[in-house]
Amino acid sequence: MGSPLLTTTGAVEAGAPDAGVALHYGDPVREQRALARGDGLVDLSHLGVVTIAGADRITWLNTLSSQLLLDLAPGVSSEVLLLDVHGHIEHAPAVQDDGETLWLITEAASAEPLAAFLDSMRFTLRVEVARREDVAVLGTHAGGWSRLTDHEAHLLTWQDPWPRVGAGSTSYGPEEAEHPGIEFHRAFSLVRREALTAVVAAAQQDGARLAGVWAWEALRIEARRPRVAREVDERTIPHELDWLRTAVHLDKGCYRGQETVARVVNLGKPPRRLVFLHLDGSDHLLPEAGAEVTLGERTVGKLTSVARHEELGPIGLALIKRNVDPEAELSVSGIAAAQEVVVRPDGVTDVRPAERPGAGLRRRTI
């Protein structure tokens, strides 16, 4: 079912994975500028919301996920990865506790399988899992969420930690101060769905304007921020997307997929790496997400996200083979693409042991 905000004058509905909300409202350039300065409000009511209630909720999610949550205080924003046994990413929900309930924000297509997985892992613990279709998500940037907090229908606001490296984590990309996303300050605000239009109307009276997911995605891509619905396939491990920096604690206890996370950090290298692409815009064409990325005649990866940025022009994210020369000019659907490194080609982090574990041991002579 589509959002009621699609009846807004000029609204054009987005396609998957954002079907049900507006791609834009007739002026995507001005919408993006408004969003970047903190005046834009994005309808993300198609996203999924799952809650976990009960006395064991935090310790329980801590045992299942990649993040250390034991000291998670009410109102603090975090994110977790839920991996399969081979370390592949299955879910990456935003997480915040309100003192009584854990709130998880996830992709539209992920809400049902996420809730089903969590429900299957309850056993005898004091937790209750629920999908919250009565709650809608609104997106803002640059502190725009402050317009929403005084409304009686506002429940909480999650502030994105990207790209800051969390305690106990590491990164495969630029240092925080040099990261292109360091000024990326987006937020998800949860409101009661029945009051969605009223909340938006109140924000508009306070100077906000609606912006579509075109603008939202352009700023995400600019910040090199990975997204499950775009950058993740059945083989993706967190290292390939530099997702350890905000969602993985390397010193916490055992969880599903931890062996792969530790092995790649300490001994291996990610087989692929995320890159930012500047696409040639001279023909005014955008390739489709999912298109092959080629180097000469050789396919080296795929385009995962693409948008037209109001300053940078056509931009994208792509997942390519790690050993591709970072200086090489690539091509996407016949369109020239220049790389910027997101995940370093050497595939090594600053926490990797200088010497392979066990390398100093010698076989005992009998």
Side-chain angles (χ1 to χ4, degrees):
M1 183 174 66
S3 168
L5 297 175
L6 284 174
T7 61
T8 303
T9 301
V12 175
E13 186 173 357
D18 296 312
V21 296
L23 177 66
H24 63 81
Y25 296 90
D27 196 343
V29 171
R30 284 190 173 88
E31 291 168 27
Q32 188 181 143
R33 291 171 181 167
L35 186 60
R37 68 173 180 263
D39 292 332
L41 185 61
V42 184
D43 179 10
L44 300 173
S45 58
H46 63 307
L47 295 183
V49 178
V50 175
T51 56
I52 307 171
D56 296 329
R57 65 189 184 281
I58 292 177
T59 55
W60 176 64
L61 187 59
N62 183 76
T63 64
L64 299 176
S65 76
S66 62
Q67 189 61 276
L68 184 62
L69 299 173
L70 296 180
D71 296 324
L72 184 67
V76 174
S77 301
S78 185
E79 68 174 337
V80 305
L81 299 179
L82 297 173
L83 311 175
D84 70 12
V85 294
H86 302 293
H88 303 132
I89 299 171
E90 292 191 334
H91 300 283
V95 175
Q96 189 174 124
D97 191 70
D98 67 5
E100 297 180 351
T101 302
L102 266 176
W103 296 81
L104 282 63
I105 306 168
T106 188
E107 298 284 357
S110 298
E112 184 173 348
L114 173 60
F117 167 72
L118 292 173
D119 200 53
S120 72
M121 301 298 290
R122 288 188 304 117
F123 304 115
T124 59
L125 295 173
R126 296 169 296 173
V127 292
E128 295 181 7
V129 178
R131 284 191 63 188
R132 295 297 300 271
E133 296 183 357
D134 60 324
V135 175
V137 184
L138 291 170
T140 55
H141 268 264
W145 54 269
S146 61
R147 287 188 174 91
L148 307 175
T149 55
D150 289 338
H151 198 287
E152 61 182 2
H154 174 264
L155 299 171
L156 61 83
T157 290
W158 178 87
Q159 298 183 57
D160 197 340
W162 185 268
R164 292 154 189 83
V165 179
S169 192
T170 188
S171 73
Y172 282 84
E175 297 294 328
E176 280 185 22
E178 301 170 355
H179 198 286
I182 193 60
E183 298 301 326
F184 179 71
H185 302 297
R186 73 170 184 174
F188 293 137
S189 291
L190 303 187
V191 301
R192 301 192 187 282
R193 187 175 294 274
E194 63 184 13
L196 176 62
T197 55
V199 172
V200 171
Q204 288 174 313
Q205 290 178 355
D206 193 28
R209 67 169 291 168
L210 281 170
V213 292
W214 179 334
W216 182 260
E217 283 291 274
L219 295 184
R220 178 186 69 82
I221 294 168
E222 179 189 10
R224 286 67 165 167
R225 213 302 182 208
R227 177 184 176 187
V228 164
R230 290 297 192 187
E231 276 65 58
V232 174
D233 61 23
E234 70 281 356
R235 298 187 292 128
T236 307
I237 58 175
H239 320 63
E240 296 176 320
L241 306 178
D242 198 21
W243 219 333
L244 275 72
R245 67 190 308 139
T246 54
V248 176
H249 195 293
L250 295 172
D251 297 327
K252 67 160 290 188
C254 184
Y255 57 90
R256 191 171 71 166
Q258 183 193 22
E259 183 179 352
T260 296
V261 170
R263 185 171 64 248
V264 175
V265 168
N266 294 321
L267 301 173
K269 297 179 180 181
R272 301 177 296 178
R273 61 184 178 91
L274 191 68
V275 294
F276 177 86
L277 297 179
H278 290 277
L279 300 162
D280 181 7
S282 58
D283 290 334
H284 306 288
L285 297 174
L286 278 180
E288 295 286 336
E292 289 185 346
V293 177
T294 56
L295 176 57
E297 299 298 318
R298 184 166 62 106
T299 298
V300 295
K302 70 175 181 178
L303 184 70
T304 56
S305 295
V306 63
R308 193 176 298 277
H309 191 281
E310 58 97 9
E311 287 185 354
L312 301 176
I315 58 174
L317 296 174
L319 200 53
I320 65 172
K321 295 179 180 179
R322 182 182 52 79
N323 58 5
V324 171
D325 183 351
E327 301 298 324
E329 185 171 285
L330 305 175
S331 179
V332 185
S333 299
I335 299 171
Q339 300 179 58
E340 284 190 20
V341 169
V342 178
V343 170
R344 292 186 298 271
D346 64 9
V348 175
T349 78
D350 59 0
V351 300
R352 187 188 186 101
E355 203 173 61
R356 184 184 179 94
L361 298 177
R362 296 290 184 269
R363 182 175 298 180
R364 185 165 61 91
T365 302
I366 299 178

